[in-house]
Amino acid sequence: MSQAPSNRPNPQDTHLNRARASLRQAFTNYSQFLRSIKDPQLESALKAELETISSNLKKLDQYVLRIAVFGLVSRGKSAILNALIGEKVFETGPLNGVTQAPSLVTWSPSGGFVSEGRSIVPESSSKIRIELIDTPGLDEIDGQARAEMAQEVAQQADLILFVISGDMTRTEYKALCDLRQAQKPLILVFNKVDLYPDQSRQDIYLNLQSLGARTGNSDRLEQLLTSDEIVMVAAEPAPLQMRVEYPDGRVSYEWESPPPQIEELKAKILTILNREGRSLLALNALTQARVAEEEIAAKVMELRNAEAEALIWKFTRYKAIAIALNPIAFLDLIGGAVSDLAMIQALANLYGLPMTRYEAGKLLNTILLSSGTLLLGEIGSGVLLGMGKSAAALATGVDGSAGFSAFAGTAAVQAGIAGYGSYSVGRAAQVYLENGCTWGAQGANTVIREILNQVDAKTIIYRLRQELL
């Protein structure tokens, strides 16, 4: 009996849709905030970050996955891309430094490839468009410019290919570790393998480990780069001299270039795209949006720091006065919580971060719990003092002067504790709000955590879980 097809959505499609919703909400929220306040200075300050969120949302809508190729000069980066595409699109040559700036071309892999006895074909339903990015050799650009170029391209990429063509040098190892800072999946491509017929993945991996042991970075690299992420290719195999025999008995020798040995890399890329390509797209867009939102929040807070400080002190005074004058103990606790919730919401609105009463309550609970016993102890003290104040209020009816003195003294102490607690909550809320909208139900942090908790242990994403969280 055949089993009915499952109507459950593909997890990758769910990841992509969640990422779209998160970025769309963030862009809409900040755009509406800027329109409502009509502040040219703030609008100018946030322009770059809003463009980052917008461009990543567009990238998700168009299913654009970028693969960037890095390596030192003369390792065959451009040749590898040409071999993948099947035609000479990127310029190559015998001289070092042919590629002078990052360049991009769209790749549409067609047909299928065989890997480990399995046929692998592009998943047409994914609609992913692949863009290949070629980069200059990392050792032909000086210091700061090289670091900025590598960081900018790596941030745009969803998958990184790092090309070597022999035993890895310390310079290459350091460049590989630097690229790891981008927190992107990485494949180490050993090119010109036809010149090293005895080289193996395990030999390369052991060489990486020995280099890491000498530089103190081995543990981190071993965790994120296994021998499974090492691929052997020959993008432009060395010409071979072939003996040619003619019907008339003549014999000549001609040089022929063997076809590229690139199938293993094609199969590896297609396997990753089919297994986790849309999840990669979603995670990369979310991580870039998370950084942009944190920068937006930091800039808004810097420009509105004085207003925020005045707002916190206003609520601190109101809470202290209200609690001091209130004679009923349990109303102190309720009124104080309401005041703190209103303050958190007011701060969020000041920073352009929409927040419901429920979200403000969750944030207040987080602040209270993360403060350890400090604020909880203040609440306990406030309750005890409130009970004493209530008793003093009752005593005022019996002995007016003595009861009033007790009431006033207790109220002053309780007001001081309540005011300090309110100020502490306000300052703690600022710290949380510095993360922008990233922590809400649709926030980037929340969706990133959801995706990483669902990815399969066999995926290349899985090993990045700890860093991305």
Side-chain angles (χ1 to χ4, degrees):
M1 183 176 178
S2 61
Q3 190 175 14
S6 174
N7 292 323
R8 294 174 60 187
N10 188 310
Q12 289 197 69
D13 291 328
T14 302
H15 298 164
L16 206 59
N17 290 333
R18 289 284 285 133
R20 278 200 199 98
S22 177
L23 268 65
R24 192 170 288 117
Q25 174 183 273
F27 184 78
T28 300
N29 288 342
Y30 285 116
S31 298
Q32 289 176 347
F33 169 62
L34 289 175
R35 284 196 297 269
S36 66
I37 62 171
K38 298 179 181 178
D39 185 339
Q41 181 185 10
L42 193 54
E43 187 174 351
S44 176
L46 305 186
K47 183 178 179 181
E49 286 74 24
L50 282 174
E51 286 179 352
T52 296
I53 297 174
S54 177
S55 63
N56 275 281
L57 181 57
K58 184 177 179 181
K59 188 166 170 276
L60 287 178
D61 289 337
Q62 296 179 348
Y63 291 87
V64 178
L65 187 141
R66 295 193 177 111
I67 301 175
V69 184
F70 292 92
L72 302 193
V73 70
S74 297
R75 298 311 192 256
K77 301 182 297 298
S78 300
I80 286 173
L81 295 181
N82 288 337
L84 283 172
I85 296 168
E87 57 182 294
K88 191 170 182 178
V89 176
F90 294 98
E91 186 179 358
T92 61
L95 299 178
N96 291 344
V98 174
T99 303
Q100 296 296 316
S103 53
L104 180 149
V105 69
T106 298
W107 176 43
S108 300
S110 59
F113 307 98
V114 176
S115 175
E116 300 176 355
R118 295 184 301 110
S119 177
I120 301 173
V121 297
E123 186 181 338
S124 58
S125 61
S126 69
K127 305 176 185 175
I128 287 180
R129 188 173 89 241
I130 305 169
E131 293 181 348
L132 303 175
I133 304 175
D134 194 13
T135 63
L138 291 172
D139 52 341
E140 61 182 323
I141 306 176
D142 291 334
Q144 187 62 29
R146 175 184 64 204
E148 290 176 357
M149 181 276 295
Q151 183 181 33
E152 181 180 350
V153 175
Q155 288 300 330
Q156 295 177 21
D158 303 287
L159 177 66
I160 292 173
L161 307 182
F162 189 85
V163 180
I164 61 174
S165 59
D167 287 337
M168 181 173 282
T169 66
R170 288 199 179 191
T171 301
E172 286 175 313
Y173 183 85
K174 183 180 184 305
L176 185 60
C177 290
D178 290 343
L179 284 172
R180 270 296 180 208
Q181 302 298 320
Q183 300 176 344
K184 302 295 176 64
L186 188 147
I187 298 174
L188 182 67
V189 183
F190 189 105
N191 190 25
K192 305 182 183 180
V193 70
D194 55 309
L195 304 179
Y196 304 90
D198 298 326
Q199 190 71 279
S200 69
R201 292 179 188 79
Q202 191 61 26
D203 292 335
I204 300 169
Y205 190 58
L206 291 174
N207 183 37
L208 281 174
Q209 290 177 311
S210 64
L211 279 169
R214 279 176 272 164
T215 59
N217 291 321
S218 59
D219 291 343
R220 185 162 177 265
L221 195 59
E222 287 171 31
Q223 178 187 359
L224 297 176
L225 182 68
T226 70
S227 57
D228 289 337
E229 273 78 65
I230 299 173
V231 177
M232 319 285 276
V233 303
E236 286 182 333
L240 299 176
Q241 192 176 42
M242 308 295 292
R243 176 187 170 94
V244 181
E245 296 182 359
Y246 294 93
D248 60 3
R250 289 182 300 111
V251 175
S252 68
Y253 293 88
E254 299 178 3
W255 291 93
E256 291 187 8
S257 297
Q261 301 173 28
I262 202 71
E263 286 74 17
E264 184 181 349
L265 179 58
K266 285 183 179 178
K268 173 68 73 174
I269 292 173
L270 286 176
T271 297
I272 291 173
L273 294 186
N274 288 348
R275 185 181 61 197
E276 53 195 303
R278 282 158 287 170
S279 298
L280 276 175
L281 271 175
L283 281 173
N284 188 41
L286 287 166
T287 52
Q288 290 194 62
R290 175 171 63 180
V291 172
E293 289 184 64
E294 290 171 354
E295 290 177 353
I296 286 174
K299 289 180 179 180
V300 173
M301 294 185 77
E302 182 180 358
L303 290 171
R304 301 206 151 187
N305 185 57
E307 295 174 68
E309 186 73 12
L311 183 68
I312 292 173
W313 276 113
K314 183 179 76 172
F315 275 93
T316 297
R317 288 194 299 270
Y318 287 169
K319 181 178 176 180
I321 294 170
I323 286 181
L325 297 177
N326 175 51
I328 304 174
F330 76 90
L331 290 180
D332 288 344
L333 192 59
I334 296 173
V338 171
S339 174
D340 288 341
L341 289 174
M343 176 175 60
I344 291 173
Q345 282 188 290
L347 281 171
N349 292 334
L350 179 66
Y351 295 138
L353 308 175
M355 181 182 288
T356 64
R357 178 63 65 91
Y358 174 73
E359 289 171 334
K362 287 181 64 177
L363 180 53
L364 180 58
N365 287 336
T366 301
I367 291 171
L368 293 176
L369 292 175
S370 64
S371 68
T373 58
L374 179 62
L375 289 176
L376 292 175
E378 290 173 6
I379 292 173
S381 300
V383 170
L384 293 175
L385 287 168
M387 293 173 64
K389 187 178 63 175
S390 297
L394 291 174
T396 303
V398 179
D399 184 353
S401 59
F404 180 78
S405 298
F407 178 89
T410 305
V413 174
Q414 191 186 18
I417 292 175
Y420 179 78
S422 182
Y423 185 79
S424 299
V425 167
R427 297 296 290 178
Q430 283 185 294
V431 174
Y432 282 93
L433 293 172
E434 283 180 0
N435 292 317
C437 297
T438 63
W439 45 264
Q442 289 278 18
N445 272 332
T446 304
V447 181
I448 287 172
R449 189 175 295 276
E450 285 179 10
I451 293 174
L452 293 176
N453 286 337
Q454 296 169 7
V455 296
D456 191 282
K458 297 178 182 178
T459 61
I460 201 170
I461 294 175
Y462 188 81
R463 281 186 290 280
L464 293 170
R465 289 172 76 244
Q466 192 60 44
E467 286 197 356
L468 289 172
L469 287 173

